[in-house]
Amino acid sequence: MSDSIAIELRDVVKRFGDVVAVDHVNLQIRDGEFFSLLGPSGCGKTSSLRMIAGFELPTFGSIIIHGREMGITPPHLRPVNTVFQSYALFPHMTVAQNIAFGLEMRKTPKEEIARRVQEALDLVRLSGLEGRRPRQLSGGQQQRVALARALVNHPEVLLLDEPLGALDQKLRKEMQLELKSLQARVGITFVFVTHDQEEALTMSDRIAVMNKGKILQIGTPTEIYERPNCRFVADFIGETNFIDGVVIGRDGNYTVLETPEGLRLRGLASRPLSNGTTATFSIRPEKVRLLTPNGELPPDGIAGTVISVNYIGSDTRITVRINDRRTIDVWEQNTRSTLDRDEYWQPGEAAVIVCPPDNALVLYE
Amino acid sequence: MIKTAPATTASARMRAAFSEGRLTWSGVALTVFSILVYLFLYAPIILLVIFSFTRDEFGVRWTGFTLDWYIRLFNNPRMMGAAWNTLVVATISTIVSTIIGTLLAMAMERYRFRGRGAVEGLIYLPIVVPEIVMAVALLAFSAIVFDLIKLVTGETLRRSLATVTIGHIAFSISFVVVVVRTSLKNFDRRLEEAAADLGADSWNIFWRITFPLILPGIVGGALLAFTLSLDDFIISLFLSGPGTSLLPVEVYNRVRRAVTPEINAISTLMLLLSMALVAISQLLQRRR
Amino acid sequence: MAMLQQQQQRRDRIRLALLLTPGLLWLILFFALPLVIIFVYSFMSNDALGRVVYEPTLNNYITIFTQSLYINAYWRSIWTSVLTTVICLLIGYPLAVFIARSPQQWRMPLLMLILIPFWTNFLVRIYAWQIILANNGIINGFLELIGVGRLSLLNNEGATLIGLIYGELPFMVLPLYAAIDRFDFTLMEAAADLGANKVQAFLRIMLPMTMPGIVAGSVLVFIPTLGQFVVSELLGGAKVDYLGNLIQRLFLRANPINWPLGSAMAVLMMIVLLVFIMLYFRATTEEER
């Protein structure tokens, strides 16, 4: 990943009538990156992508591609190509004709077109299907044609609008890995839009989490997962336990939160929070440790009762009630065979949960 | 997405729309063009209606407001009779051709059988045959049939409203089939399967699931049939006899001789009536 | 098990028969049969009283192919029909695009607005055009007002063309609308994304994909136009003969009426149509390959 910037969004705003779809978004995507825009429906990620492609023009702000301000440049003159959610393959053309289209538009000589189409087909492993029509292909094959059609033009940036949405689970996971390795091989900057956080975590070099038109956090998958900077991001990515409370002070690096029931919890805050601020304690289920009670409560320990034990196969998910109002989810990986596991947590058992403050967060809003 | 206040003045909004790409020059040109086309379509109609109220006896200029022509119209039994006949023929033709056409459409869409191609050809042939060919064919046919009947029973039958109606039905069926078939093609058969799963027999399935959902298509076909019949001239001309009067033929005869705005008046009334019928059918549809 | 299946099959067959019978009966009796009669008549001749004489002959066809009156009528009708179809296409396509791209709730009303003029009477609308185009009519009144002076707008081929276009436009617009409505405009975005400007995107993507609508609309316009006779009479001043005029004359007005000759003209018209349609289909669907 180089340091040069492939795409920059500078204070971009997009209004549709009264509705603000993209709200002052600032973003820099580096050359060669696999960059994802992640968020729920309506968060502005697709609008942002379309503005990069040129299908929409910003109400305010600039789209800059490799240092060139795009302004009102129409899509067919921009150095980017898009893979559409519905693939948008031309039904009346064969696979080869579809892929060749962009090259034809640029008046590439015939022999070169033939050669590059073949290259593209090999790249997405569809050689031999040149003569087929889109309707004769499976969903996964159509998706790869859409990819080839875009990549054959050697765009400066490839934009992908939820391209895996229509595929079934297994195919999806396969394509995720394929796309990732493809991008590494080809070296082009990918801008990938998705609402599936697992997908984003798997494939991306960096992720921008969006909600309601704003970017909430930009970071690597580990940064986003381990250090979400707000409640929404922590909630949207993966699973987490939330406990509301009020900040009552600091303890070294940690911020201390007190819950209405009097529990005191310690965690890391992304920025200094003053006493009395309402905040949320957040810890991921796999980070919580579950111990059998043995008299003394360990530091950061809370006593509770096991309510349910759910066996998922690779891990076991245990819900522990710690007081009248709250339960905490704990995930334990089944590192050893569960077949001969006779002594395991049972509902009704007393237990102690420990929330190591290094793995816990105190989030504001 | 959150809401904020939009740009205020109209010109500011237009400029915003242009810069955001919502408004384009080609879009504006298209809209202007389309408005002009609609004006082109309605200019004669509007003039027709306006000139039904003019004092000018040739109905070409505006020389003052009057309801004379409407009064004269109501006192003109021939014209009123012709208009009434036209409506009756159109209604009967619509009802019969819609029923027959829907049945045919269901047969074509739901069943496989030998000779399907031939039946399809027969159904679509009327669309491909010019009206005048059909008219003269029916004319010749009716002449032979009447001769035969005379031979067998001694009765002399003449061309009448019935012959016209038969002709209208003959060419309307095909159009109804086309429209209803499209509706059936878009119909999701899984709904019928779900109904069967819930215990409905085929009669119930048809009336409570299929029929309501293809009703818009049937209504569309019926409207088309109604339009075609109401507007038809050629078949009406060739198939009506001395005793029958239909509006198109009446107007044709008058237009070639002397015209009075009574024609405008009757057309305006027909237009209002047709629009009322369509409005009613739309309301009935929405009630469901 | 087999019994149940057989019962079901029989029930199905009865149902099918019920569905097909009324339609087939009507169409065969009142459409196919009359056409056969016309075909047969075209080989007959008539007597001085205008009655059909059942002596087979090819005279009718020979007359049509040799006398300029008839040949000219064919060429004129074909040319006018082609012109009308092309102009209706040029007007109808943008209009159909406009409606298809309008907000959902406006589409039905806009389509209905196109049909409503058809609920007045065809002849009355032609008559209205007479008023508009007349020497002392609206347009000339306006032209006088702005100092251009009166033009002879009526009783010529142009007026006939206007009348024909006016009458056939909806039949072009409706199938076009259906095809354009089905068209996925995302494909145009994809084309633009791949470097096509608006013209290229239209010619390479939209046009081929809406071709079924174009064909349907063109066929629906060309056919009735070929057989028309009233518009040319009322707006064109009856100065020249079209196919329809001749057929009408032969069947209704001539003295004596000549049904066999008229039938031959009708049969020939059908053949011309079939040839045109086949060529048209061949030309437009081959583009898809």
Side-chain angles (χ1 to χ4, degrees), chain C residues 236-252:
Chain C
K239 291 181 186 161
V240 290
D241 278 332
Y242 289 83
L243 280 181
N245 301 117
L246 289 180
I247 296 182
Q248 180 204 22
R249 215 175 290 155
L250 287 169
F251 266 89
L252 294 179

Side-chain angles (χ1 to χ4, degrees), chain B residues 131 134-143 146 158-171 232-244 246 249, chain C residues 30 34 252 259:
Chain B
E131 250 194 285
M134 216 178 143
V136 300
L138 278 168
L139 182 62
F141 177 70
S142 63
F146 292 154
R158 289 186 189 282
R159 292 191 291 277
S160 62
L161 288 181
T163 40
V164 176
T165 312
I166 290 176
H168 282 196
I169 295 174
F171 73 66
D232 173 71
F233 165 70
I234 297 185
I235 293 203
S236 307
L237 179 70
F238 277 79
L239 288 186
S240 57
T244 62
L246 285 164
V249 185
Chain C
F30 298 116
L252 294 179
W259 284 17

Side-chain angles (χ1 to χ4, degrees), chain A residues 160-172:
Chain A
L160 303 102
D161 187 3
E162 306 210 49
L164 306 181
L167 306 175
D168 63 71
Q169 258 309 54
K170 186 158 176 293
L171 197 52
R172 230 176 141 153

